[in-house]
Amino acid sequence: MEGGSRLRAWGATLGGLMVVLAVLTACAGPYQYYEGTGLHDTTTAEVAGGWENVEGTRVVLRENGTALFEKLDGQDFDFEDGWRLSGTGTWQLTDRDGGQVVRLALTARTRVGRRFPVTSTDASTPEPPSTYAWSFYVDRDPHDELELFFFYGDPDIGNTYVMTRETGS
C-alpha cells in the first residue's frame, strides 16, 4: 500500500509540474522574445525607395529620411483596430545586437482608411492615432532581396506583415 501512495504522490507532483510549465509557456508566443534577423549589412541607400504589400499598402522611404505612407496598418495589437493610416513622416535605419530595424514615424496624418467596414456605432472603437511609430525588422528573402516586416495581432500566433520592394523600384 505504501508503494501505491508514493506512486500517486509522484504522479500528482509530476502532473502539477506539467500544469505550471504549460501556464508559463502559454504566453510565450513566437515573437515575444524575438531578437531580430541577425542582419547587419544593409545600407540606408539599399532601404530607400518604394515598398508595398499584398493589401495595397505603399511606403516610400526617401534617402533624405522623409517618408510617405499609404494605407499602413498598425502593428502588434493595434492591427486589430482595423485602421489604415496615410500621411508623411520620417524613417531611419538602426542597428542593434539582434539585427537592423527600420523605424518609421508618421508625423502628419492625411487620411484614415479601414481594412474592413465599420458596421457598429460602438463608442469603444478607438480613434485612429494622429501620429504613430512602427519598427520593421530588416531581412532578406531566399533570393537575397530585402524585405521589411513586423508582427501583428496576437503574439502567440506570430503573424508577419511583410513589405517587399515596390514593382518597378
Side-chain angles (χ1 to χ4, degrees):
M1 196 68 164
E2 190 173 304
S5 293
R6 281 189 183 156
L7 186 57
R8 278 193 296 276
W10 175 248
T13 301
L14 186 59
L17 181 60
M18 295 300 285
V19 168
V20 168
L21 287 174
V23 169
L24 289 175
T25 59
C27 296
Y31 86 87
Q32 285 185 301
Y33 304 108
Y34 189 72
E35 296 288 326
T37 62
L39 194 65
H40 296 281
D41 64 349
T42 306
T43 65
T44 300
E46 192 177 9
V47 174
W51 296 88
E52 63 188 358
N53 80 0
V54 297
E55 298 294 322
T57 298
R58 183 171 181 260
V59 175
V60 177
L61 306 175
R62 298 183 183 111
E63 287 193 43
N64 67 0
T66 62
L68 172 69
F69 309 94
E70 292 179 22
K71 301 179 185 174
L72 187 53
D73 297 282
Q75 70 181 78
D76 298 324
F77 282 112
D78 291 340
F79 182 84
E80 294 173 2
D81 292 336
W83 47 257
R84 309 185 85 200
L85 301 177
S86 298
T88 59
T90 61
W91 74 279
Q92 66 179 9
L93 177 65
T94 63
D95 199 343
R96 55 188 197 184
D97 290 343
Q100 291 174 299
V101 174
V102 173
R103 303 214 187 269
L104 294 116
L106 175 74
T107 56
R109 184 179 81 184
T110 57
R111 189 171 59 251
V112 175
R114 292 260 172 217
R115 200 172 40 261
F116 44 81
V118 177
T119 56
S120 79
T121 56
D122 184 0
S124 68
T125 302
E127 176 67 24
S130 57
T131 62
Y132 195 78
W134 295 263
S135 293
F136 282 86
Y137 293 103
V138 179
D139 202 6
R140 294 194 184 275
D141 69 12
H143 304 288
D144 207 33
E145 298 293 326
L146 274 187
E147 58 185 18
L148 307 176
F149 72 93
F150 63 75
F151 292 100
Y152 69 90
D154 185 335
D156 293 330
I157 297 172
N159 291 322
T160 54
Y161 190 95
V162 179
M163 302 286 293
T164 57
R165 185 61 70 183
E166 191 173 51
T167 308
S169 286

